[in-house]
Amino acid sequence: MSSRKVPDTKKSLPSADAPSEKVFFVVPTLVVLWSHDQRAMAGLREGVQRRLAPLAEAGALEWIGPFSSEDEITPEGLARACETLLSLDLWRRLVERGYQPDLPRTGSPVSLQVVFLVDRMGAESEGPPLKVIQEAQKLLARRARLAPILVWLGSQPEPAPQNLNAYWPRIRMEPVAAGGFAVNPLQVLAAAEHLLVALMGSDFVRILGSIVKESSTEWIVLGASALMLHPHIEGWLREAVLGEILAPLVAPLAETEIDRIEKAIGERARQVRESLLEEASAALKESGWGVEIEHLGIRKCILQKAALLEALFGAYRGGITAEPLSRRDGKNWPRQLLSLISALAEPFFPGQTIGETLYHNYRELSERLEQWLGEKWRGLAPRAREEYQDIAVLLGSFLDRGLVAQISPEKRPSWWFTERPLPAGIPAAITALLALQKHLCEGNDLEDARGPVREPVRPAPLNDDAYLRVAGDTDAQIVRENLLRYAHFARTLASPWGVLLYLIPAWPLGTFLIQILVHWEPAPAFLVTGLALLLIGIAELAYWWLWKARSLLKTVQRNAHRALASRVMTLTARAIQDYRYWMLSRLREAECVLVDLYAAFLQRYAATKEPSRSLRKVRSQEVNGCTYLMVHKGEIQRWKREAVEALQQYPDWKGESGPFESAITARIVARVWPLPEQPLPSQAMLEELESASARVVRECAPHPHQYKAGVVAEMEVDPLKGGKRWNWLWQRAYPLGIVESPGAEFTIVMAPEEALSGPTGRESPYWQPDWRAALTLQGQEEMCIRGIVERKRGE
Amino acid sequence: MAWLYLLLVLLVFYTPIVGLGPSLLQKDFEITISGLHLPIPFTGSLRLLAYSLLAWWLLWTITLWIERRAEFDIFYWIDRRLSALHLRERWIYATRPVFSIQLAVRLAKIGMVISLGQAVGALLLGILLAVTVPQLIQTVLPGLIESLMARFPGAGWVETLVGWLSGPLMEWLIGPIMKWLHNALGSLLGPAIPSLFAVSVLVFVASKVYKQEQVERYRAGIREMQRRRQQGEKRPTIG
């Protein structure tokens, strides 16, 4: 390895045993994997990437493979993989982050480290083409200088592979320990992972170079052990935080709560219908129809357009306005009587154009109720939109109570603030949505309350121009038929002159009869008979004309007008139904969005249970024979609590749309439903949530000086306290491999500077004086690598 | 027109006090027997009835004939001239007020019944007055007394009975009964009865005819209306 020594930088880490050289610089590394075991290599790669995350993120770590045949690996492919490490941007990044002191000098090639990891522990495969790195070096010529390192997992190859000497160091780890003990291949892989981390994240190669002489060394047999923080803690913590955040959102509802929501929403649905009817009544008034409403019923619906009334019913409209003849009016009384008599005597018959007139009135009404005019709807549309927004906000309050503040005080539901407020969460919001849809689907928009019995008004089947035209013609015919009924009746009534003509012959007859029966004189009999006939005629005329005919005229006018009012009500019901359907369609969309979100959240919440359980159960423990995973339970509890609080108060989200109770629900309300026009897909929302969760978990992470494997070991793990961890590390780093010609043995420890100082560091009785310490990037880990040099045969 | 002419005839013949009725009523038909002119009672009323019926029938028939010949409906003409009257719609075709419209006809029926009843009553009373009671006084009762005396001579009860028959009964029949019959006959044969009979018959006959005329005029009116509608229609043409 070749690294340039430069004065210390912020990111470079000090070394304990070389005060003058307490820096090392990272060399971009390409790892070439050669193995049949794809899964093992993937695990290896993932572990190294995770532990060397800063380097991996900077791009200083590249991987190719795993290859298992010579055809797959070519010098060209290797050279191409190296190209990414030759990027000027990468090197600038490395300089900026302090991983390199400066860009390479002009004219001198860039140094790259190539680790050729050969796994021969599993199925026998053909020998790796070690020469490929030399050929790639030729292709890269003067651009790069490759430093090849060989890590051989498996028994010693016989004969030694060609080009073996081109690699330095040449490291071998076998599933058989130096004493002949059998070792689990998983331990070999774990040791290989520690070794790779040491190769790339520490000064290990330089220290090794200072201990081992390359020319006399065939192989270096190594064992490695590590004391590290549990690698999955952060991931599990992310899941646990996510689970705690999602739990109240996806909590199921009890039946009683569902009933309470349905009842409360039913009341609101009725208010929506009443509001729409109230708006419709205003449109009706504008169209000349005076209405009185009571809840959902229309108690009175009277045509008030004088011109239309005149065209339909003539001057007298006693059956519609029900104005009694009033003697108090003085002068008007005779005029009214004359007007009445005239209307009775000369039945009004509407013209042929009343169908057209009615059509125009219906169209005007329909347009006032629901018409697209100048890029905006008029009539019920603004009210429907306003109501939808109000109920959307109201339903959104089931997600976050903070939304209640956005509802106007008069529409704010009082039941929200009772002793037992309604439940919150996505299931509650969905239940409320479904309940609202149910209540808006059921029942009637309008009731005809003009009569003693309230009857539902069926909406008009259509409201297009053709329908309105037909409705106008039909209703005109109804008006005509009713007025014709009166005309037929009136035609059978005699006038005073007619009655007089019929009564005249009765005069002499009556006179003679009185003379005969009562024996009166002719003159008084004549006079009395005449007077009697006059009274009879007047009485009967008054009865038939002013009582019967007037009553019938009123009845037919009332019937005709009732038919017109019924039509108007059906058109109104149709308009209300249309807007109700519009609201239902919007609610349906909202339901889909929420259900989708709920399903995604629920699934995600279910997925968090296992990691959360793992987080609860996890303890500091030894794994795979050479690794001790440390868990600081107290710190994790604090970490989790703070992360949950931070996520609930996530400032990027909570400040977005007003005083919300939770940042998560604020985000849902602002980006998914009900505030945004274009809802964010649930998966995107979930990704945002996961990203935020990861961010707060990272931000709430323990202080690096507090949360280190060594510190945790000293605090939490009794067998490792008081410097015993050095002993544990040394023992677990037992060299893996049988050495034929053993040379020097060495121990290199990679630990942060502060871990090496003090009574639990170098001053510990468990620390051996011949151990060497290497600088390392891994501030939270402590590693130990033990090795035995296998000398070249014949030396 | 039947009804209008009825009104005219009533005005001319039957108006109390000023009508021609009373003078005609007094002119009974007479028969001459051996140079003696004997009036036939009640034929004056028949004369009045005949004259009035004839006048009414002549007027109605002539008007109807003229109308048919001239294809002219007088009521259309009147309605055009005096449109406010609406004679056709508000009189001819009208069926209500039922009581007022039917009153004259009903009174006519009542009058006929009364007058005919009174005529029958007068006839019966006349027979009683002129034949039955005088025969009883002059023939039946004396014969009865004689036969009783012959069959039961010297019987006490017979003498008592004969005394009652020839005394109080005979006086009762000759006195109060004959007077009552005479007065009753006088009241039944009052001057109003013939007039009532004549008017009733006239009104009754006229109403029957008028009803038929109503129907005919109604149908004619409908035919006329249909004709006018057909004239006003645009018939489709081909080619």
Side-chain angles (χ1 to χ4, degrees):
Chain A
M1 175 180 175
S2 170
S3 32
R4 298 170 59 197
K5 305 298 182 291
V6 293
D8 198 0
T9 65
K10 275 197 290 185
K11 294 285 173 72
S12 59
L13 298 173
S15 175
D17 58 345
S20 60
E21 295 180 346
K22 281 190 176 179
V23 289
F24 85 95
F25 297 110
V26 170
V27 179
T29 304
L30 172 70
V31 182
V32 183
L33 299 173
W34 180 274
S35 173
H36 270 296
D37 193 346
Q38 301 267 351
R39 195 172 169 183
M41 291 300 107
L44 181 69
R45 177 175 172 170
E46 186 195 351
V48 174
Q49 289 270 110
R50 186 180 60 247
R51 291 167 69 180
L52 293 174
L55 288 183
E57 285 172 11
L61 194 54
E62 285 295 324
W63 299 76
I64 57 172
F67 305 109
S68 56
S69 76
E70 199 169 340
D71 299 337
E72 294 174 10
I73 182 167
T74 59
E76 291 78 13
L78 203 62
R80 269 197 305 278
C82 290
E83 286 284 348
T84 54
L85 299 174
L86 293 173
S87 158
L88 184 58
D89 283 344
L90 166 66
W91 281 84
R92 278 184 182 150
R93 242 184 345 261
L94 294 176
V95 172
E96 283 169 8
R97 297 183 185 185
Y99 294 134
Q100 279 288 325
D102 206 348
L103 291 176
R105 283 183 202 153
T106 53
S108 73
V110 174
S111 293
L112 298 180
Q113 197 170 242
V114 181
V115 178
F116 203 143
L117 188 138
V118 179
D119 172 20
R120 302 280 304 238
M121 289 190 294
E124 280 300 316
S125 61
E126 55 187 286
L130 298 182
K131 62 181 179 183
V132 73
I133 290 183
Q134 281 73 43
E135 290 170 0
Q137 174 69 76
K138 288 175 188 168
L139 289 174
L140 292 168
R142 286 178 297 175
R143 292 182 59 199
R145 188 168 66 237
L146 303 183
I149 299 171
L150 181 64
V151 178
W152 190 278
L153 307 182
S155 54
Q156 183 176 2
E158 291 292 348
Q162 287 184 337
N163 297 82
L164 181 63
N165 291 332
Y167 293 83
W168 181 254
R170 301 178 284 275
I171 297 165
R172 196 176 85 233
M173 288 193 279
E174 300 178 28
V176 179
F181 307 115
V183 176
N184 191 327
L186 288 177
Q187 183 177 343
V188 179
L189 282 172
E193 180 186 313
H194 299 325
L195 175 63
L196 285 176
V197 170
L199 287 172
M200 288 171 256
S202 74
D203 202 15
F204 170 73
V205 176
R206 190 183 65 81
I207 300 293
L208 186 67
S210 67
I211 297 171
V212 181
K213 193 175 179 184
E214 179 185 352
S215 56
S216 61
T217 303
E218 180 82 11
W219 291 96
I220 303 172
V221 174
L222 289 183
S225 63
L227 207 62
M228 52 194 278
L229 295 172
H230 200 295
H232 295 136
I233 289 294
E234 190 173 325
W236 289 346
L237 198 62
R238 274 201 304 271
E239 294 296 304
V241 168
L242 208 55
E244 283 211 11
I245 288 293
L246 290 177
L249 287 175
V250 298
L253 290 178
E255 283 296 322
T256 51
E257 298 295 334
I258 292 172
D259 291 344
R260 286 181 66 214
I261 291 174
E262 283 205 352
K263 192 177 172 187
I265 291 297
E267 179 66 19
R268 187 67 183 90
R270 194 183 57 75
Q271 286 174 4
V272 170
R273 287 181 197 254
E274 285 180 6
S275 172
L276 289 178
L277 178 58
E278 186 187 328
E279 187 67 20
S281 72
L284 284 172
K285 280 173 188 161
E286 285 177 18
S287 301
W289 289 87
V291 290
E292 281 181 18
I293 56 174
E294 183 185 34
H295 301 304
L296 289 178
I298 289 189
R299 285 200 294 118
K300 196 185 279 185
C301 181
I302 296 175
L303 180 60
Q304 292 179 327
K305 252 186 182 174
L308 187 55
L309 279 170
E310 181 85 29
L312 290 170
F313 300 108
Y316 176 74
R317 300 184 283 270
I320 299 163
T321 55
E323 293 168 358
L325 290 175
S326 171
R327 289 174 188 276
R328 293 176 192 166
D329 289 348
K331 287 180 184 175
N332 281 339
W333 152 247
R335 192 183 296 171
Q336 285 178 13
L337 185 62
L338 280 176
S339 165
L340 170 63
I341 291 171
S342 171
L344 293 171
E346 293 179 8
F348 175 80
F349 204 70
Q352 293 298 319
T353 58
I354 58 161
E356 186 74 12
T357 311
L358 280 173
Y359 154 69
H360 284 299
N361 184 257
Y362 292 159
R363 198 180 65 179
E364 182 191 348
L365 172 65
S366 186
E367 285 173 355
R368 282 189 194 282
L369 286 170
E370 46 178 339
Q371 192 198 25
W372 177 256
L373 191 71
E375 296 187 354
K376 67 172 185 180
W377 287 95
R378 70 177 187 179
L380 294 181
R383 178 64 70 94
R385 187 177 292 275
E386 182 188 331
E387 282 296 332
Y388 174 74
Q389 284 169 350
D390 284 349
I391 59 174
V393 170
L394 179 68
L395 295 175
S397 303
F398 281 92
L399 292 176
D400 194 303
R401 289 286 190 271
L403 261 186
V404 175
Q406 293 193 11
I407 305 170
S408 57
E410 64 271 15
K411 290 185 178 175
R412 197 173 294 165
S414 57
W415 39 265
W416 213 263
F417 306 103
T418 54
E419 288 179 2
R420 284 179 62 209
L422 292 175
I426 299 177
I430 292 173
T431 303
L433 256 174
L434 293 173
L436 189 62
Q437 289 180 63
K438 178 187 158 198
H439 287 294
L440 284 180
C441 279
E442 292 172 351
N444 304 301
D445 292 316
L446 203 56
E447 287 174 350
D448 185 352
R450 291 175 296 170
V453 179
R454 291 168 81 96
E455 293 174 349
V457 176
R458 295 181 64 183
L462 299 166
N463 59 354
D464 61 344
D465 203 56
Y467 175 80
L468 295 177
R469 195 172 284 280
V470 172
D473 290 343
T474 306
D475 293 347
Q477 191 59 27
I478 291 172
V479 172
R480 278 195 208 100
E481 282 171 4
N482 273 286
L483 294 181
L484 197 59
R485 187 178 153 211
Y486 174 74
H488 280 307
F489 176 79
R491 198 178 290 165
T492 64
L493 286 179
S495 66
W497 298 114
V499 171
L500 183 66
L501 289 175
Y502 280 117
L503 282 177
I504 284 174
W507 199 353
L509 283 167
T511 305
F512 294 139
L513 279 171
I514 288 175
Q515 277 182 273
I516 292 165
L517 298 174
V518 193
H519 303 293
W520 283 9
E521 290 302 315
F526 188 68
L527 285 174
V528 167
T529 308
L531 187 62
L533 291 176
L534 181 68
L535 291 176
I536 288 170
I538 290 173
E540 216 184 4
L541 275 172
Y543 171 74
W544 281 101
W545 279 109
L546 296 180
W547 182 266
K548 298 288 280 186
R550 185 177 163 215
S551 168
L552 182 64
L553 181 57
K554 278 183 167 182
T555 302
V556 298
Q557 283 188 346
R558 196 178 301 123
N559 290 346
H561 181 268
R562 197 175 181 83
L564 301 181
S566 296
R567 178 77 66 188
V568 165
M569 283 197 273
T570 61
L571 289 173
T572 308
R574 167 74 191 205
I576 294 175
Q577 176 188 269
D578 286 350
Y579 285 103
R580 185 167 52 79
Y581 282 172
W582 173 82
M583 291 173 81
L584 278 169
S585 72
R586 296 291 301 270
L587 290 173
R588 178 73 185 141
E589 286 174 19
E591 182 203 330
C592 291
V593 168
L594 269 189
V595 167
D596 195 30
L597 185 72
Y598 176 64
F601 276 18
L602 192 64
Q603 194 178 5
R604 191 67 186 84
Y605 173 68
T608 62
K609 283 186 177 173
E610 186 57 38
S612 300
R613 201 176 298 124
S614 302
L615 185 68
R616 280 197 302 275
K617 288 181 179 173
V618 70
R619 300 280 184 278
S620 298
Q621 61 182 339
E622 183 182 332
V623 294
N624 62 41
C626 63
T627 310
Y628 212 112
L629 297 180
M630 312 305 299
V631 177
H632 194 329
K633 294 292 283 185
E635 190 64 20
I636 287 169
Q637 288 301 324
R638 180 204 60 78
W639 189 1
K640 181 181 166 188
R641 192 172 56 250
E642 287 184 4
V644 169
E645 284 173 11
L647 193 54
Q648 279 173 342
Q649 304 296 326
Y650 199 58
D652 290 359
W653 292 354
K654 196 167 183 191
E656 205 167 69
S657 306
F660 289 103
E661 290 188 350
S662 159
I664 312 305
T665 49
R667 189 64 171 174
I668 294 170
V669 162
R671 298 297 302 272
V672 181
W673 185 81
L675 298 185
E677 287 291 328
Q678 293 293 326
L680 199 66
S682 55
Q683 281 305 325
M685 180 66 221
L686 197 56
E687 282 167 14
E688 272 196 9
L689 184 58
E690 286 174 357
S691 168
S693 172
R695 186 176 156 189
V696 297
V697 165
R698 266 200 310 274
E699 285 174 354
C700 294
H703 193 277
H705 294 305
Q706 300 291 328
Y707 196 59
K708 294 174 181 291
V711 175
V712 176
E714 290 295 336
M715 289 173 67
E716 300 253 326
V717 188
D718 287 336
L720 303 182
K721 282 181 180 172
K724 290 177 193 165
R725 66 184 195 276
W726 302 123
N727 188 44
W728 184 91
L729 281 168
W730 186 81
Q731 285 183 346
R732 295 302 189 278
Y734 201 76
L736 301 172
I738 297 173
V739 181
E740 288 182 2
S741 309
E745 291 186 26
F746 58 90
T747 299
I748 301 173
V749 174
M750 282 136 287
E753 175 64 26
E754 59 269 26
L756 298 174
S757 60
T760 60
R762 281 199 179 93
E763 296 168 16
S764 158
Y766 301 101
W767 181 273
Q768 300 301 320
D770 58 334
W771 293 358
R772 301 284 298 273
L775 295 171
T776 177
L777 283 177
Q778 304 303 95
Q780 295 178 318
E781 296 182 0
E782 291 175 359
M783 280 197 298
C784 175
I785 295 178
R786 284 173 64 188
I788 305 173
V789 174
E790 187 176 60
R791 288 177 299 176
K792 284 188 175 173
R793 294 168 190 172
E795 290 193 9
Chain B
M1 287 307 288
W3 196 265
L4 287 178
Y5 286 136
L6 170 69
L7 298 181
L8 185 62
V9 167
L10 287 175
L11 184 69
V12 171
F13 288 92
Y14 297 96
T15 307
I17 305 164
V18 296
L20 297 174
S23 62
L24 284 172
L25 279 173
Q26 290 168 1
K27 291 180 181 175
D28 285 340
F29 287 106
E30 292 178 345
I31 53 170
T32 306
I33 302 170
S34 305
L36 190 66
H37 298 287
L38 291 173
I40 304 170
F42 304 117
T43 50
S45 60
L46 291 176
R47 184 195 295 270
L48 174 62
L49 177 61
Y51 285 173
S52 56
L53 268 175
L54 186 64
W56 169 81
W57 184 78
L58 278 174
L59 284 170
W60 180 72
T61 311
I62 290 167
T63 310
L64 212 63
W65 182 76
I66 292 170
E67 276 188 305
R68 282 178 182 168
R69 289 298 297 255
E71 292 183 349
F72 166 77
D73 189 323
I74 194 165
F75 286 104
Y76 275 101
W77 185 81
I78 294 172
D79 274 350
R80 274 202 299 275
R81 296 284 168 187
L82 299 166
S83 58
L85 290 178
H86 294 295
L87 270 183
R88 278 181 306 119
E89 288 185 1
R90 294 275 171 259
W91 177 56
I92 296 176
Y93 304 149
T95 56
R96 295 183 178 101
V98 180
F99 185 76
S100 297
I101 287 175
Q102 296 291 325
L103 183 60
V105 179
R106 285 174 184 168
L107 285 178
K109 287 177 182 173
I110 292 168
M112 279 197 297
V113 170
I114 287 175
S115 56
L116 286 172
Q118 291 212 344
V120 171
L123 188 63
L124 290 173
L125 285 174
I127 292 169
L128 281 172
L129 189 65
V131 178
T132 309
V133 175
Q135 280 293 321
L136 200 65
I137 294 167
Q138 291 167 11
T139 311
V140 176
L141 283 177
L144 181 65
I145 291 167
E146 277 182 21
S147 65
L148 282 171
M149 293 292 285
R151 182 163 299 188
F152 305 104
W157 62 273
V158 173
E159 285 180 1
T160 306
L161 181 62
V162 168
W164 182 79
L165 288 173
S166 58
L169 181 61
M170 196 66 80
E171 285 172 6
W172 182 69
L173 286 172
I174 294 168
I177 289 297
M178 287 299 280
K179 191 181 177 183
W180 181 85
L181 286 172
H182 193 267
N183 287 341
L185 189 61
S187 68
L188 286 177
L189 293 176
I193 294 289
S195 300
L196 176 65
F197 177 71
V199 173
S200 298
V201 171
L202 182 63
V203 170
F204 187 75
V205 172
S207 73
K208 292 288 179 190
V209 173
Y210 174 62
K211 201 161 270 180
Q212 194 176 347
E213 185 189 340
Q214 266 183 321
V215 173
E216 284 178 7
R217 283 191 186 275
Y218 186 78
R219 287 175 181 165
I222 289 174
R223 281 197 297 274
E224 177 65 16
M225 198 164 63
Q226 288 173 339
R227 189 183 63 78
R228 286 182 187 175
R229 190 174 293 166
Q230 283 174 352
Q231 281 179 349
E233 276 181 359
K234 287 181 181 177
R235 293 182 178 280
T237 54
I238 300 172

